[in-house]
Amino acid sequence: MQKRAFAALLALVLLLLCACDATTGPSATATPELQATSSPLPEQTPGTGSFVSEDGSYSLSTNVVYFPEGCTQENAKFTLTYTLPEFLGGDDRSEAMNDSVKLYLEDLFERVNEQYLASVPEGAEIASDEVSAQISVSRGYTNLIISEHLTIGESLQDHISTIVFDDRGRETGLEAIAGLVDGAPLVAQLVYNRMDQQRDVYFSDMTMEQIEELLDLYNAFAVTDNGFKLYFGAGTIAAEVEGPIWMDIAASDLYPSFVGDVLPAKAYVELMPVIDRLAAASAVNFESFDGSPSAYVATLYMADAVNALPYPPKAPIAQDGDTLIVPEKEFLALYEAYFRGAFPGIDDSGGTIVKDGASYRVEVAGSGSDYHVVFNEAQSVDNMISLKGSIVSATGADTAAAEVASVEVDLVAGEGSAGYRITSLMIL
């Protein structure tokens, strides 16, 4: 959980203590009511009772802590009440998600000790922070939506932050999910357009640059069935009286302009993760191919593709410790769904796949890459589509994307899982 997600919250706290008046306006999207179900987190003092989710995948508990340390309810200067989840799967995925929750809690305690306590004026009768959580799952991603209700004297402030997990329990951002690199300007444009259409709801004098500064595409968004939900702090894009604001954007709004005209949207969505994996494998030695990739590139590609399958694995795929066991039929079908010709075989220098009788043993290493492909041009001739763009590298949410090389990918229509197969990848 990145601490930058709370910089805006601190600024708003300081504004509250200065008793600034907010501009009023018509009601925008209301803050969602966040559910509080439960189970105690380790080494915390439990408050109210626990409740387990219907599917048994997580529980939530409410805990009360008084500050400064060692205080009781009678002499505390600040009270923190929080409801946070514990994921109950008992596997690596749940453990990773619980680790993220613990990091959030550590950051929360640090903010209370270093920021909120210092903001409490002498004689304040009420100083508290109430934290609650809601969990939802969309498109294979788990959204943990955290709501804070901060009260210092007569000043109130609500804030929403999020942690989004992939199917391996790893924190991820909107750009990685949408296949974008440096996607903030595009998202800011979409937000600006929405605000311009509803000037009676949103501030009418904001620029796209100001909106981009407010975006947090890592800790202030959630995945929805059709796209994404963006969260903005109270008083940032609409009157403060409206509280935190959310805005829905469609996944299709983030596609390149040629999607739908040259390449169907469904095919684009299915092919982009495949092309990203292939580009990452090809970029290791800057290998191009026309027809079929080399055994080395195919080995690296398949290791990532197998690790990207739904986790935990389902039959006939099995897991043996740190190895995924994939029957030969399923392994070859996974390759042939997107490439012409037979699988070229395992290159031992790839080091992550071993042929073992009638199956392949693939090292569990997670999926995903720091390499992505961004296409900006597409041309269709007969049953062939040529996509042109760049391979880019970005190593984290705060790292600017860097172009590695130009790339051209050719597809043949009428074949494969997505209705297309990859026939060449040329690194230029």
Side-chain angles (χ1 to χ4, degrees):
M1 182 76 178
Q2 299 190 352
K3 293 183 180 179
R4 66 186 177 89
F6 301 100
L9 177 58
L10 176 58
L12 290 170
V13 171
L14 296 176
L15 284 174
L16 284 172
L17 296 175
C18 294
C20 297
D21 291 329
T23 304
T24 59
S27 176
T29 307
T31 304
E33 182 177 346
L34 303 181
Q35 66 185 29
T37 53
S38 317
S39 154
L41 292 171
E43 301 178 359
Q44 303 300 327
T45 303
T48 59
S50 62
F51 183 90
V52 179
S53 63
E54 283 188 19
D55 63 0
S57 63
Y58 68 89
S59 60
L60 293 147
S61 69
T62 300
N63 299 270
V64 182
V65 184
Y66 301 106
F67 294 85
E69 185 177 355
C71 287
T72 64
Q73 183 177 4
E74 288 70 27
N75 61 1
K77 184 178 180 181
F78 190 94
T79 302
L80 171 65
T81 304
Y82 66 88
T83 301
L84 290 173
E86 180 181 13
F87 295 94
L88 305 176
D91 53 11
D92 292 343
R93 173 179 178 271
S94 297
E95 183 178 348
M97 296 164 77
N98 286 332
D99 286 344
S100 292
V101 173
K102 290 175 184 177
L103 287 175
Y104 167 82
L105 187 58
E106 290 174 6
D107 182 77
L108 176 61
F109 272 62
E110 182 179 326
R111 281 185 285 122
V112 171
N113 280 306
E114 298 184 4
Q115 299 173 13
Y116 298 167
L117 276 175
S119 301
V120 178
E122 290 295 329
E125 294 185 5
I126 302 175
S128 65
D129 192 15
E130 298 178 7
V131 178
S132 59
Q134 176 184 357
I135 294 173
S136 64
V137 178
S138 292
R139 293 191 281 146
Y141 295 92
T142 299
N143 302 303
L144 171 54
I145 304 169
I146 303 170
S147 174
E148 289 194 47
H149 181 71
L150 181 65
T151 304
I152 298 179
E154 296 183 357
S155 300
L156 308 176
Q157 181 61 53
D158 291 314
H159 175 74
I160 294 176
S161 59
T162 68
I163 307 176
V164 177
F165 302 101
D166 66 12
D167 63 353
R168 297 300 175 98
R170 299 169 298 191
E171 294 185 40
T172 188
L174 183 151
E175 290 169 305
I177 297 170
L180 299 173
V181 177
D182 192 23
L186 173 57
V187 177
Q189 177 71 66
L190 295 173
V191 173
Y192 178 86
N193 293 344
R194 181 77 56 81
M195 292 174 65
D196 190 52
Q197 294 167 4
Q198 296 178 274
R199 289 175 174 266
D200 59 332
V201 173
Y202 303 108
F203 294 144
S204 60
D205 58 350
M206 294 190 69
T207 65
M208 281 190 293
E209 290 74 18
Q210 290 173 321
I211 295 170
E212 187 173 339
E213 285 293 318
L214 294 173
L215 292 174
D216 184 346
L217 303 182
Y218 204 80
N219 288 133
F221 85 99
V223 179
T224 65
D225 291 342
N226 299 312
F228 302 94
K229 190 181 296 292
L230 307 176
Y231 293 94
F232 296 91
T236 56
I237 65 172
E240 190 167 353
V241 69
E242 306 295 348
I245 301 292
W246 71 68
M247 184 180 295
D248 287 299
I249 60 173
S252 58
D253 289 338
L254 303 175
Y255 298 161
S257 59
F258 61 77
V259 175
D261 294 328
V262 177
L263 183 66
K266 183 177 179 181
Y268 174 81
V269 170
E270 183 174 343
L271 286 170
M272 282 311 301
V274 174
I275 293 173
D276 282 347
R277 294 184 199 111
L278 179 61
S282 299
V284 173
N285 292 326
F286 279 74
E287 286 190 41
S288 299
F289 70 87
D290 185 4
S292 298
S294 68
Y296 180 76
V297 169
T299 299
L300 294 181
Y301 166 83
M302 285 299 295
D304 197 20
V306 169
N307 274 279
L309 293 172
Y311 189 87
K314 297 180 180 180
I317 299 172
Q319 185 168 356
D320 178 17
D322 293 333
T323 303
L324 293 170
I325 303 173
V326 186
E328 184 174 20
K329 177 181 177 181
E330 283 71 21
F331 184 91
L332 296 179
L334 183 61
Y335 175 84
E336 293 166 1
Y338 300 105
F339 299 93
R340 274 185 162 181
F343 178 66
I346 298 298
D347 187 319
D348 293 338
S349 61
T352 55
I353 302 180
V354 175
K355 183 72 163 62
D356 183 14
S359 64
Y360 290 83
R361 300 179 66 88
V362 183
E363 179 183 338
V364 175
S367 65
S369 168
D370 293 332
Y371 291 99
H372 300 282
V373 177
V374 179
F375 291 117
N376 49 35
E377 183 180 344
Q379 183 177 5
S380 177
V381 178
D382 296 327
N383 68 333
M384 299 289 294
I385 295 178
S386 178
L387 305 175
K388 297 181 180 180
S390 301
I391 300 175
V392 296
S393 173
T395 55
D398 296 321
T399 305
E403 182 174 343
V404 175
S406 296
V407 66
E408 183 171 338
V409 175
D410 289 337
L411 310 173
V412 60
E415 301 180 12
S417 172
Y420 296 84
R421 279 197 172 97
I422 300 169
T423 61
S424 71
L425 181 147
M426 306 300 293
I427 297 177
L428 308 174

